[in-house]
């Protein structure tokens, strides 16, 4: 039966098996294998082929190796940015347990054109976002209006909305993406995005919950929401379906799928 | 393309709502639920879904007995474009769930599956405890819906003991679970996977390339999942049109036709 959803993007998708009218920007991706989950495809080349099939134009990426293997900090993302310029934009991953190993290359963020900001993973690194070891990184990001993708989760002692609020009150120039939008405390995440104009909600994982996208749009507005998938954990097509089939307008869909990401990039000031 | 959702929920969760990330890893987050069949059908219309197999959340939250009664009291839950399922308990302790009663109720109301929540109701889904009912489900080709939300071991165990049982695995969370699915699908020919939670990158195509398209059923796991994600995942999947049709509706229609409830 024909869907009553009259979105032009639903029609486009049903007719073509993918979105053809717009190129999606995925603001939350990783690359390569990691413990605990199975992935039919996880390498950058395979993901690039799949992105082409699904018309995902570019990704913002923090490879698993950079997040979990401290002896070669950010080697993977710098390889991938060099191999796919313009299609892979990089997060400089920072593990506060090995601050000296990561921090020594921080200038790469300004020197390499593919870098757009930082990726912080407080829960997995077991160090709270508002702790001292992150201060230098956050000050650096704030100075240059960089993107800071922070893993957030409800009830966490490391990266709940409460920790985000502690940080964001001090840093009003960096552009913070609340990775996953704090599942379990999503309402608090929405409140932060509505209150602070440099905080964004990320749909990664949370998009699948029925009615979540509508709630975010209604409470925070579609200009505060970014499309993210955790690729290669998850296939962008599922998240695209969550967005285009939701009860929002096509302008909202455009904001979420690519426009907000483009706007964020224009605010970065590497020369500042 | 005709779409039959193999697994959609009617009713409100006591806690809105337990979302499964993977086994024993829940998140409680508010979702938009369907309080009755009319609300479920409206959402199906919005997403282009023709039919659905349904259950009532109170079968899990309250009790199988009370949940079944509430579900069956409203024929709108399981007629027309909707088909119903019923929850079970061991007949030895709960005589109302004797095999004959269960099958009679299913036949009377045109139900198309049984649900078991063994951990929730503190019993083992094994021959010792449930042999009578499970033998009957095997013999009559009645699908048993199982979720690994509290672990995969009980599903492996029941399949070892009842290898011909028809099982639909649903609500398994979004983390990739191929290391559980693949051995089950390879070894048990009547085990099926609901696509509702299946977000793996290239996951459906990889599954179909390995096992064919006859072992997956389109599902939404609504309302833990929205309907649009699973719809797009199937429609956008780069497999053959015939394979999509199998997953979209033909496989579950075969299950409907294979059931023999009459005594």
């Amino acid at each position: 039966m024909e869907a009553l959803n009259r979105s032009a993007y639903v029609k486009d998708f049903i007719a073509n098996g993918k979105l053809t009218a717009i190129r999606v920007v995925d603001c939350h991706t990783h690359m390569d294998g990691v413990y605990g989950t199975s992935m039919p495809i996880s390498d950058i080349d395979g993901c690039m082929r799949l992105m082409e099939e699904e018309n995902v134009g570019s990704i913002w990426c923090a490879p698993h190796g950079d997040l979990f293997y401290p002896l070669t900090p950010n080697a993977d993302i710098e390889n991938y940015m060099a191999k796919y310029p313009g299609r892979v934009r990089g997060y400089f991953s920072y593990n506060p347990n090995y601050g000296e190993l990561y921090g020594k290359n921080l200038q790469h963020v300004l020197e390499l054109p593919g870098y757009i900001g930082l990726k912080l993973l407080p829960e997995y690194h077991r160090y709270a976002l508002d702790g001292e070891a992150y201060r230098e990184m956050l000050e650096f990001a704030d100075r240059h209006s960089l993107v800071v993708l922070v893993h957030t989760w409800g009830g966490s002692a490391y990266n709940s909305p409460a920790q985000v609020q502690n940080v964001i009150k001090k840093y009003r120039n960096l552009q913070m993406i609340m990775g996953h939008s704090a599942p379990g405390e999503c309402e608090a995440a929405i409140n932060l995005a509505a209150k602070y104009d440099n905080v964004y909600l990320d749909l990664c994982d949370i998009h699948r919950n029925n009615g979540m996208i509508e709630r975010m749009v209604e409470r925070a507005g579609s200009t505060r929401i970014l499309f993210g998938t955790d690729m290669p954990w998850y296939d962008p097509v599922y998240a695209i379906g969550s967005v285009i089939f939701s009860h929002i307008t096509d302008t909202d869909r455009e904001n979420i799928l690519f426009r907000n990401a483009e706007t964020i990039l224009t605010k970065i000031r590497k020369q500042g | 393309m005709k779409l039959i959702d193999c697994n959609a929920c009617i009713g409100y969760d006591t806690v809105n709502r337990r979302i499964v990330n993977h086994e024993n890893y829940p998140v409680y987050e508010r979702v938009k639920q369907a309080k009755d069949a009319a609300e479920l059908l409206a959402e199906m219309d919005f997403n282009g879904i023709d039919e659905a197999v349904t259950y009532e959340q109170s079968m899990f939250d309250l009790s199988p007995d009370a949940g079944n009664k509430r579900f069956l009291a409203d024929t709108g839950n399981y007629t027309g474009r909707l088909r119903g399922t019923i929850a079970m308990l061991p007949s030895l302790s709960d005589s109302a769930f004797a095999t004959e009663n269960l099958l009679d109720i299913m036949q009377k109301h045109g139900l198309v599956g049984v649900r078991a929540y063994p951990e929730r109701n503190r019993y083992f889904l094994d021959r010792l405890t449930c042999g009578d009912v499970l033998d009957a489900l095997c013999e009559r080709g009645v699908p048993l819906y199982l979720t690994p939300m509290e672990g995969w071991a009980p599903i492996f165990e029941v399949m070892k003991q009842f290898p011909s049982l028809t099982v639909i695995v649903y609500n398994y969370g979004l983390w990739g679970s191929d290391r559980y699915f693949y051995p089950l699908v390879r070894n048990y020919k009547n085990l099926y996977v609901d696509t509702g939670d299946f977000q793996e990158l290239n996951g459906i195509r990889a599954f179909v390339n390995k096992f064919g398209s006859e072992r997956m059923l389109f599902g939404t796991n609504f309302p833990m999942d929205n309907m649009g994600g699973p719809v797009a995942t199937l429609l956008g999947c780069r497999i053959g049109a015939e394979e999509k049709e199998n997953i979209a509706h033909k496989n579950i229609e075969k299950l409907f036709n294979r059931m023999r409830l009459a005594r």
Side-chain angles (χ1 to χ4, degrees):
Chain A
M1 65 181 285
E2 190 179 348
L4 292 184
N5 184 329
R6 298 300 181 207
S7 163
Y9 296 114
V10 168
K11 287 181 182 153
D12 179 23
F13 189 94
I14 289 174
N16 300 294
K18 62 180 177 181
L19 287 178
T20 64
I22 52 177
R23 297 271 278 176
V24 173
V25 179
D26 187 340
C27 300
H28 186 163
T29 71
H30 294 294
M31 291 304 135
D32 306 315
V34 72
Y35 66 90
T37 191
S38 53
M39 301 172 179
I41 295 172
S42 63
D43 64 296
I44 186 73
D45 298 327
C47 287
M48 282 290 146
R49 285 192 293 274
L50 183 131
M51 285 165 55
E52 208 48 50
E53 291 174 349
E54 298 184 359
N55 205 25
V56 175
S58 59
I59 56 174
W60 299 1
C61 181
H64 290 122
D66 293 343
L67 290 165
F68 291 101
Y69 189 70
L71 289 176
T72 56
N74 294 304
D76 289 344
I77 189 58
E78 293 184 7
N79 282 336
Y80 300 158
M81 290 190 302
K83 189 169 185 182
Y84 294 104
R87 300 205 61 197
V88 177
R89 299 184 192 277
Y91 291 113
F92 182 94
S93 295
Y94 180 76
N95 179 345
N97 299 302
Y98 298 94
E100 70 288 359
L101 294 178
Y102 281 81
K104 68 183 181 185
N105 291 329
L106 186 59
Q107 285 304 309
H108 288 194
V109 176
L110 304 181
E111 294 162 5
L112 299 177
Y115 272 125
I116 58 167
L118 312 177
K119 165 68 179 179
L120 306 180
L121 200 57
E123 177 101 38
Y124 287 80
H125 292 152
R126 304 191 69 76
Y127 192 93
L129 176 65
D130 52 0
E132 177 63 19
Y134 281 125
R135 186 173 55 81
E136 183 186 346
M137 292 296 123
L138 293 168
E139 286 176 353
F140 176 79
D142 200 57
R143 211 154 44 238
H144 298 283
S145 299
L146 297 174
V147 183
V148 180
L149 172 59
V150 180
H151 174 86
T152 62
W153 213 260
S156 168
Y158 303 96
N159 42 224
S160 72
Q163 276 94 31
V164 171
Q165 180 152 28
N166 288 343
V167 164
I168 209 66
K169 282 191 290 192
K170 296 180 202 162
Y171 303 107
R172 304 296 304 119
N173 297 313
L174 58 76
Q175 306 182 77
M176 179 169 287
I177 303 173
M178 295 186 69
H180 313 291
S181 299
E185 279 192 74
C186 199
E187 197 65 22
I190 292 171
N191 289 340
L192 286 178
K195 180 174 180 181
Y196 295 100
D197 63 5
N198 59 336
V199 174
Y200 295 86
L201 299 163
D202 166 31
L203 289 184
C204 182
D205 296 4
I206 201 88
H207 61 80
R208 70 180 176 129
N209 297 1
N210 188 53
M212 179 58 73
I213 293 174
E214 289 89 335
R215 180 148 60 109
M216 288 177 169
V217 169
E218 183 184 329
R219 296 280 318 286
S222 63
T223 58
R224 320 297 312 146
I225 306 167
L226 296 169
F227 181 86
T229 66
D230 253 348
M231 182 163 51
W233 286 66
Y234 309 121
D235 199 313
V237 72
Y238 194 114
I240 288 169
S242 295
V243 174
I244 64 174
F245 279 93
S246 58
H247 299 256
I248 57 178
T249 69
D250 275 351
T251 300
D252 295 329
R253 294 180 179 96
E254 292 160 6
N255 287 341
I256 294 168
L257 290 169
F258 72 97
R259 191 170 291 131
N260 296 339
E262 291 179 347
T263 302
I264 282 175
L265 293 181
T266 66
K267 295 179 181 173
I268 295 171
R269 297 192 309 273
K270 287 197 179 183
Q271 308 306 320
Chain B
M1 181 187 299
K2 180 179 181 182
L3 289 171
I4 300 180
D5 178 355
C6 76
N7 185 47
C9 183
I10 295 169
Y12 285 177
D13 191 348
T14 306
V15 179
N16 182 13
R17 186 159 193 140
R18 176 173 167 146
I19 311 289
V20 176
N21 270 14
H22 63 63
E23 67 281 2
N24 301 312
Y25 181 12
V27 168
Y28 292 89
E29 191 53 78
R30 189 153 59 86
V31 300
K32 185 182 176 192
Q33 307 173 103
K35 74 171 185 289
D36 54 26
E39 288 192 359
L40 177 65
L41 286 164
E43 195 61 18
M44 290 164 58
D45 290 341
F46 190 74
N47 288 277
I49 296 174
D50 298 83
E51 300 172 21
V53 178
T54 58
Y55 66 104
E56 232 285 343
Q57 182 60 24
S58 58
M59 293 176 186
F60 179 82
D61 279 4
L62 184 55
S63 78
D65 184 40
N68 289 345
K69 285 175 180 160
R70 285 164 195 266
F71 180 71
L72 294 173
D74 183 350
T75 56
N77 290 334
Y78 52 91
T79 55
R81 293 162 60 196
L82 306 180
R83 297 168 192 254
T85 54
I86 191 170
M88 63 168 278
L89 282 174
S91 62
L92 189 61
S93 52
D94 300 83
S95 57
F97 289 85
T99 307
E100 299 74 23
N101 288 351
L102 202 64
L103 296 175
D104 283 348
I105 291 170
M106 291 188 71
Q107 189 176 12
K108 178 180 174 188
H109 297 288
L111 307 183
V112 294
V114 173
R115 293 172 182 274
Y117 308 109
E119 298 87 359
R120 176 86 169 169
N121 292 297
R122 300 182 58 242
Y123 67 89
F124 291 116
L125 191 67
D126 61 3
R127 178 162 295 289
L128 200 65
T129 309
C130 301
D132 53 349
V133 173
L134 296 176
D135 278 335
L137 298 186
C138 290
E139 185 186 327
R140 294 162 185 278
V142 176
L144 178 65
Y145 281 77
L146 293 177
T147 167
M149 66 193 293
E150 289 169 317
W152 286 83
I155 296 179
F156 276 77
E157 189 56 34
V158 75
M159 296 314 297
K160 284 179 195 166
Q161 294 189 22
F162 299 88
S164 67
L165 190 64
T166 299
V167 165
I168 298 171
V169 181
Y170 73 102
N171 194 32
Y172 40 85
L174 74 172
W175 285 47
S177 295
D178 290 347
R179 294 166 196 146
Y180 293 119
F181 281 132
Y182 281 12
L184 287 170
V185 172
R186 182 182 64 184
N187 287 289
Y188 302 108
K189 64 183 174 58
N190 293 328
L191 186 133
Y192 296 82
V193 176
D194 162 8
T195 64
D197 278 355
F198 211 77
Q199 285 198 46
E200 275 189 11
L201 193 71
N202 203 45
I204 291 181
R205 181 161 57 174
F207 184 100
V208 167
N209 286 344
K210 194 175 278 286
F211 300 110
S213 60
E214 290 78 22
R215 309 294 295 285
M216 282 194 140
L217 306 174
F218 168 73
T220 65
N221 198 30
F222 177 90
M224 284 80 87
D225 299 328
N226 64 59
M227 295 181 181
V231 168
T233 300
L234 179 61
L235 298 185
C237 182
R238 287 159 298 285
I239 56 175
E242 198 170 318
E243 292 167 322
K244 279 188 194 176
E245 294 276 354
N246 284 341
I247 297 169
H249 66 97
K250 285 185 177 174
N251 292 341
I252 197 160
E253 288 172 331
K254 282 182 188 167
L255 292 185
F256 295 157
N257 294 330
R258 205 168 72 186
M259 284 176 51
R260 300 178 311 280
L261 289 173
R263 283 193 281 162

